[in-house]
Structures are given as structure tokens and as C-alpha cells.
Amino acid sequence: MSGETPPQGPPYLPKTAGLGGRPTPSVDDPICAVILAFFVGGAILNMTIFQLNKKRSHKFVLSGLLFGFCMARITANVLRIAWASNQHDTSLAIAAQVFANAGVVLLFVVNLIFAQRILRAYHPHIGWSRPASLAFKFLYFCILASLVMLITAVVYNFYTLNPHTKQQLRDVQLTGSTFLAILAFLPLPIVGACFIIPRRAPMDKFGQGRMRTKIQLLIFTTTLLSLGAAFRTGVSFKLRPANDPAWYHSKACYYCFNYVIEIIVVFSYALSRFDRRFHIPDGSHAPGDYSGRNEKIQERMYRVNTEEEVFGEDERPRTAEQRQQQQQNWEAGLKEELKEETV
């Protein structure tokens, strides 16, 4: 008989090295505390912006979405601190990994929404077309499906020791992470297409500030998020034993390619007032709605004409002196007509 004791469980702790490894109180607690402070600040900042805009009837839901992202990251770091103090608690390990993997998807969605708005601004006939709208909706659905797949695979992986099942779960994780990495990169070719495709109509501008600044901000955040997603995907393709991790499994890589990048993105958007730069009018659903051209056309269609426009400037004098002079002319004309009749 073998002297090895069978693993206790389920759930079972993973035998392969993961990005960041198992947390330890001496190393991870101080780092997580600093990261927590940044995300708490980001949550307060975004919620403050959201509430101030709400009072001004300036609807911008994405500020609330970033607030939700910061709260998810706060939860992930709190769970990692708890896991560091209870390294053999598999339930904490599962919860920490689920929140660590799920949160960044919200930033991918934000960038994809901004890319869609820029496409509609540069090429309204393409961005507002039915195929393009359906394509973006399909991407949002795929994001949700990939997230469900990844969470299911991560959780189920803790509850099985079957090699065949683990291989299938690994395939699911690799597929989902690869798709999300492509999704993180997708705004870049969308923005590039805006410059390559010739425009057929004037730009349908939206928000405040120059369009160039909006594009630069989107390219900057997309590049950072793509770097983090590509690194995480690349690490997942290379298996190493838990007791022999590679350099890319280190805690420095884990925190830099995850939380540091996300902190930069969150504060880049909030401090640049993306709630003003990327704001669009409520109910926008067609070309011209971003810049308000459609409203101006409707105002001209339904505007009541003034007296001058109806009667003409010659027939409706504007000043009091002109009206008095016209009245005197009418009276003089009437007197002359009466004299002619009496004669």
C-alpha cells in the first residue's frame, strides 16, 4: 500500500501553479490593503460623479458600472486576505478566484460600448445599421456566456480529481480566457476601421471635448486591458506544479497585470471626466441623435412662425414710431377720402 494519504475533499485544492500562487499574510495582506484603498477611492469617486450627474438629470450609467466594478474588486481583495489567513480553506480559495476572474469583464464591456459610440459618430450609416447593432449585442451575449463558462469551470475544477474531466474543464477555461483576451483587444480594430473607411456623412459628435482625446483615452485603456488579458491567457496555457511555479506565476505579476492595470484604467476614466466626454443624449437610436441634428430639424418643422414671418416686415412695423407714423398715414388717408365724398 502507498504511504500517501488521499487528498481531503471535495473540494480539493489545485495541484497546479496558479497566477499569484497561494496568498500569505506577510506578503499579500499589505499589498491587498493598499489595493483596497485605491479601489475604495475609485468606488467613492465614481459614485459621487454618478449621484451629482443624477441630480443634474445627466444620465451616465457607466459611472455606476465602474462603481460596481470597484466593489467587486474590493470583495476580491478582502477574500484574498481571508484566504491568506486560512490557506487550507478551499471555499475561500474558490470565492477568491471567482471574484478575481469575473470583475475585469466589466471594463471590457465599458470599452466596447465606447468603441461602438465612436463608430456611430464616425460612420452613422454603419454604426446604426441593424447588422452592426446585432453584432454588438451578440458580443455582449458572448461575454455573459463566457463568464458563466469560466466561473462554472473554476468551481467545478475544485470538486473533481478525474483527469479527463479536468482536461475538459481546462479546455473550457482556455477557450473562455482566449475569447475575453480577443474581446479586450477588439476596440482597437474598431477604432482603426473608423479612420480607414471613408466617411459618407459629417461626424455625429457626442459629449464634451475633442474626439481625438476620446480616441486616445480609449486606445490607452484598451492597450492596458489587452496586455493584462493576454498575459493571463498566456499563463493559463502553461501548466506547472504547485510546488514549482514559474516567474510568471509570481505575486508581482499577479498584482501588476491584474489590479495595477485596472486601477490605472478606473482613475484614467474618472479623472478625465469620461461621464462628460462619452455622454450621449437619452433615447439616441438613429444617426444624428448624438449631435442633436434630429432635434434641430424637428424644431424647425414644428416651430410657430412669428408675426414678421407671417405678415412680412413691411406690413407689421416693429417700432412704436413706425406704428404711430403708419397710424397717422391711415388717418390722413381717411380724411382725404371723406373730403372727396362730401364734394
Side-chain angles (χ1 to χ4, degrees):
M1 294 180 61
S2 175
E4 296 181 357
T5 59
Q8 296 180 354
Y12 310 100
L13 288 172
K15 297 181 179 180
T16 57
L19 183 59
R22 294 184 185 179
T24 56
S26 59
V27 177
D28 291 83
D29 285 3
I31 298 175
C32 288
V34 174
I35 292 174
L36 272 173
F38 276 104
F39 279 117
V40 168
I44 294 173
L45 180 60
N46 279 284
M47 181 50 66
T48 302
I49 293 174
F50 179 77
Q51 293 297 333
L52 290 176
N53 287 332
K54 187 177 180 181
K55 291 180 181 178
R56 299 171 185 152
S57 299
H58 181 86
K59 184 179 179 182
F60 194 77
V61 182
L62 297 181
S63 293
L65 191 64
L66 283 193
F67 167 78
F69 168 76
C70 291
M71 294 303 296
R73 279 309 187 228
I74 291 171
T75 305
N77 280 274
V78 169
L79 288 172
R80 188 166 178 84
I81 292 174
W83 183 20
S85 300
N86 302 274
Q87 293 191 4
H88 298 287
D89 191 331
T90 313
S91 299
L92 279 176
I94 295 173
Q97 290 197 22
V98 167
F99 275 92
N101 292 327
V104 71
V105 176
L106 294 177
L107 295 182
F108 297 164
V109 172
V110 170
N111 276 2
L112 199 60
I113 292 173
F114 290 161
Q116 184 182 24
R117 292 182 181 180
I118 290 175
L119 176 63
R120 287 175 171 176
Y122 271 84
H123 301 283
H125 65 287
I126 297 177
W128 288 106
S129 64
R130 185 171 180 80
S133 299
L134 290 176
F136 277 97
K137 290 179 181 178
F138 178 72
L139 286 176
Y140 299 140
F141 170 77
C142 290
I143 292 172
L144 180 61
S146 298
L147 186 60
V148 172
M149 288 168 50
L150 284 173
I151 293 176
T152 303
V154 168
V155 174
Y156 191 26
N157 194 42
F158 282 88
Y159 286 86
T160 182
L161 295 175
N162 188 299
H164 178 67
T165 304
K166 280 188 168 293
Q167 182 60 43
Q168 290 180 324
L169 294 174
R170 173 174 161 77
D171 293 340
V172 171
Q173 288 178 292
L174 292 178
T175 303
S177 60
T178 302
F179 171 77
L180 291 180
I182 296 173
L183 184 76
F185 177 77
L186 195 58
L188 293 181
I190 293 176
V191 172
C194 293
F195 293 97
I196 295 174
I197 302 174
R199 289 208 303 264
R200 298 182 182 178
M203 186 184 299
D204 196 11
K205 294 184 178 181
F206 61 88
Q208 299 179 5
R210 297 185 302 175
M211 187 64 70
R212 182 185 304 174
T213 306
K214 298 180 180 69
I215 293 174
Q216 290 173 349
L217 184 60
L218 179 60
I219 291 175
F220 173 69
T221 56
T222 300
T223 302
L224 287 180
L225 293 175
S226 299
L227 176 63
F231 182 83
R232 289 189 297 271
T233 302
V235 169
S236 62
F237 271 91
K238 190 70 174 178
L239 285 178
R240 294 288 291 267
N243 57 0
D244 185 25
W247 65 268
Y248 43 79
H249 292 113
S250 65
K251 298 182 187 298
C253 291
Y254 172 77
Y255 288 110
C256 289
F257 285 97
N258 282 309
Y259 300 123
V260 173
I261 286 177
E262 293 166 1
I263 289 171
I264 294 173
V265 171
V266 168
F267 281 94
S268 295
Y269 274 140
L271 296 179
S272 65
R273 295 310 303 266
F274 77 129
D275 58 302
R276 295 178 179 177
R277 295 184 183 276
F278 289 93
H279 178 261
I280 60 173
D282 293 342
S284 299
H285 64 280
D289 286 347
Y290 282 178
S291 58
R293 287 200 303 265
N294 294 341
E295 292 183 1
K296 294 177 182 177
I297 294 173
Q298 290 181 355
E299 287 178 1
R300 288 197 296 268
M301 289 175 59
Y302 296 104
R303 185 171 61 86
V304 178
N305 292 333
T306 62
E307 293 182 351
E308 288 80 2
E309 293 171 337
V310 175
F311 299 103
E313 294 184 359
D314 295 336
E315 299 183 16
R316 298 289 293 184
R318 293 183 179 181
T319 65
E321 294 179 357
Q322 290 176 341
R323 287 197 296 270
Q324 185 177 3
Q325 182 65 35
Q326 191 178 50
Q327 184 69 24
Q328 292 176 357
N329 293 338
W330 285 344
E331 291 177 356
L334 287 174
K335 289 179 180 179
E336 291 180 359
E337 291 179 1
L338 289 174
K339 288 180 181 180
E340 291 177 358
E341 290 179 359
T342 54
V343 174

